[in-house]
Amino acid sequence: MTIATALTACGQLDSRRHAFPDSVYDPAPTPAATGIAADSGPADASPRPSQSGAVDPGEPYADLSAAELLDRSETASHALRTVRMVADLTADDGRTMRIDLVIDLEEEAYTGTVTVGGVNVEVRLRGADAWLRGGKAYWQGTGAPADVARRLADKYVHFPETHQRYEFFADLLSVGDPTFATGEFSRPRRLPVRDHDGETVIPVEARSGAAVITILLSVDRGLVPVSVADDEGTGFEYSEHDRPVTVARPPAAQVVSADELSGDVDLPGV
């Protein structure tokens, strides 16, 4: 089973559609700021009811409705330079996948791993170049002959931007961006402030079709999303905001061209 097959089975990557199909991903223009400071809103703002009803005036951002919280979160997400994203996905047949990426949002680059069915592969994207590095077990799982699996084991397979499978790596970048978590959902409502892994967050609950989505927004980090999950086994966690990220090119001696292998193996995305 290739990674892309699992992604399709999980319903996550389909022409860069949002993981939650009924939501709309329409990011606002990137602000000029390069960071976001916590902002509790105007000191003299008078609290007003949100979609969920009256908000305790003592809560952070008490003057913002659920929709306004999501708008503010999207703006904060656009100002981030780097982030770590971990996604846990579950297919209808019970298969699970984990994506774990550290992402340079300004450079549109990332490095990390994708794990499907217990098989782990390394993925990298830097500009017009992408790489995938899998062990022998991964390549055997794609249907590669034994000698090809041995040759590819622990090599970096290079996908240039012109390769038809490069979009697979671009899609990973798309879902790794925190603005992916702040699409427009129907009937958003804010819930009481709570703790999430030692961090104070404001939950916003919304709908995407029949699914219930819960987005957790960080109070201390300007409402950037720290988690988004539905009630059907899909979850994204965002952390390590604005920490340094280095995405290096693999050593040339360890790189094999994807174009050279297209006739030998079932490449990711096929």
Side-chain angles (χ1 to χ4, degrees):
M1 176 176 62
T2 65
I3 296 174
T5 299
L7 284 165
T8 301
C10 291
Q12 304 309 310
L13 300 184
D14 180 9
S15 301
R16 301 196 191 190
R17 291 176 59 195
H18 200 289
F20 310 110
D22 291 338
S23 67
V24 178
Y25 175 54
D26 185 16
T30 303
T34 57
I36 285 289
D39 178 9
S40 299
D44 58 352
S46 56
R48 63 178 182 275
S50 72
Q51 285 93 327
S52 63
V55 178
D56 185 333
E59 283 205 354
Y61 299 96
D63 59 310
L64 299 183
S65 69
E68 290 168 333
L69 287 169
L70 291 177
D71 286 344
R72 183 79 67 91
S73 179
E74 185 174 34
T75 300
S77 295
H78 277 297
L80 289 171
R81 297 183 297 273
T82 64
V83 71
R84 180 184 180 190
M85 184 277 292
V86 178
D88 288 300
L89 315 174
T90 303
D92 292 339
D93 63 4
R95 286 178 297 173
T96 60
M97 177 173 63
R98 168 165 283 209
I99 305 170
D100 188 343
L101 305 175
V102 287
I103 306 166
D104 186 326
L105 296 164
E106 290 187 326
E107 298 295 329
E108 295 190 342
Y110 64 73
T111 182
T113 59
V114 178
T115 305
V116 182
V119 178
N120 185 71
V121 297
E122 179 184 345
V123 288
R124 296 189 196 184
L125 176 72
R126 179 174 170 176
D129 299 287
W131 299 268
L132 182 145
R133 185 189 191 198
K136 183 179 178 181
Y138 170 74
W139 291 110
Q140 286 179 324
T142 69
D147 61 329
V148 174
R150 284 194 299 270
R151 177 159 61 95
L152 296 182
D154 300 320
K155 297 289 187 181
Y156 289 91
V157 179
H158 173 233
F159 295 81
E161 188 176 28
T162 54
H163 194 284
Q164 61 179 340
R165 302 307 174 192
Y166 177 88
E167 185 176 359
F168 163 76
F169 298 90
D171 282 341
L172 286 179
L173 178 64
S174 178
V175 299
D177 190 325
T179 58
F180 179 77
T182 55
E184 295 179 8
F185 303 104
S186 63
R187 292 182 285 169
R189 65 189 187 102
R190 64 179 293 169
L191 303 177
V193 168
R194 71 175 191 241
D195 178 86
H196 176 72
D197 293 336
E199 183 167 18
T200 302
V201 298
I202 301 175
V204 174
E205 186 179 272
R207 293 273 177 172
S208 178
V212 178
I213 312 298
T214 303
I215 306 105
L216 303 183
L217 307 178
S218 172
V219 168
D220 295 329
R221 286 183 278 174
L223 295 177
V224 295
V226 295
S227 174
V228 56
D230 65 18
D231 56 356
E232 298 177 352
T234 297
F236 295 77
E237 293 282 335
Y238 300 93
S239 62
E240 301 178 18
H241 302 77
D242 284 337
R243 294 187 186 179
V245 170
T246 299
V247 181
R249 291 180 175 273
Q254 297 181 30
V255 175
V256 178
S257 171
D259 289 330
E260 296 176 10
L261 301 172
S262 57
D264 295 342
V265 300
D266 185 14
L267 292 174
V270 174

